Amino acid sequence: MRHLFTISVAVDQPIVVGQDQKNGRRQLIPIKSGNVDGFDMDGKPFIGKVLPGGVDCQVIRPDGKCELSARYGVELNDGRRFFIQNDGIRTVKDEFVQAVLRGEFVDPNLYYFATTPHFETYDESIRWLENYIFVCKAVRKATEVDLQYYVIEK
């Protein structure tokens, strides 16, 4: 695996749709903006911004496991755009389950958070995003999520 780029996503406060003992806590987190910084497969700069209007759909199960699917657009500095659907999980130790179910922030060093992104591109020069498998190591901060994008090479 090789690290290619990082996306830092600025997020708004969660909108809680509902919560119960059966399903857990369903919430929508608006994606406001963000930055892309790194390199493409050829080592050329891969820099841009996250477009506003995305959303991170989450359900935090009664056991504290968060299942999420974030969907957002990216625009590179040269105007090329692509779409990301980033599905993943975040898990916490038993002693932090009640805190996450209450919507409290938990120190990123105390949980596991990883995703598998899928890309939709509209420019042949970035079609390579669709031709490789990527994984992300993610860190949730108070107002942003940092995603380290790694490509699995042959």
Side-chain angles (χ1 to χ4, degrees):
M1 282 196 313
R2 176 169 50 130
H3 178 262
L4 287 184
F5 53 92
T6 300
I7 297 182
S8 295
V9 179
V11 295
D12 210 339
Q13 293 297 312
I15 301 164
V16 178
V17 177
Q19 184 168 350
D20 63 20
Q21 292 298 319
K22 177 184 172 216
N23 296 303
R25 177 187 177 95
R26 170 66 70 181
Q27 58 189 22
L28 305 172
I29 302 175
I31 295 173
K32 301 190 308 186
S33 62
N35 297 304
V36 180
D37 189 23
F39 301 93
D40 66 13
M41 291 294 288
D42 297 323
K44 296 176 185 166
F46 197 71
I47 300 169
K49 64 182 179 182
V50 174
L51 299 170
V55 66
D56 184 356
C57 300
Q58 300 184 349
V59 62
I60 302 171
R61 299 295 180 193
D63 65 358
K65 177 183 177 182
C66 178
E67 300 165 7
L68 60 100
S69 182
R71 297 162 189 233
Y72 50 95
V74 170
E75 181 177 58
L76 298 174
N77 283 354
D78 60 10
R80 296 175 294 169
R81 290 183 170 191
F82 58 95
F83 176 80
I84 301 173
Q85 177 176 328
N86 209 355
D87 301 321
I89 62 169
R90 187 172 63 232
T91 59
V92 296
K93 294 180 181 180
D94 290 343
E95 59 262 33
F96 302 108
V97 169
Q98 291 308 310
V100 297
L101 287 172
R102 289 189 300 268
E104 295 175 15
F105 182 75
V106 175
D107 183 331
N109 295 312
L110 302 175
Y111 59 74
Y112 173 84
F113 187 7
T115 68
T116 54
H118 299 277
F119 300 93
E120 184 177 284
T121 62
Y122 304 97
D123 187 297
E124 192 61 38
S125 67
I126 54 174
R127 192 84 61 214
W128 56 271
L129 288 166
E130 296 180 12
N131 295 327
Y132 289 89
I133 300 291
F134 286 79
V135 294
C136 290
K137 178 67 179 132
V139 175
R140 174 70 159 102
K141 299 178 182 175
T143 60
E144 69 181 42
V145 178
D146 290 334
L147 298 149
Q148 303 291 324
Y149 282 76
Y150 294 87
V151 64
I152 298 176
E153 299 179 289
K154 58 179 175 173

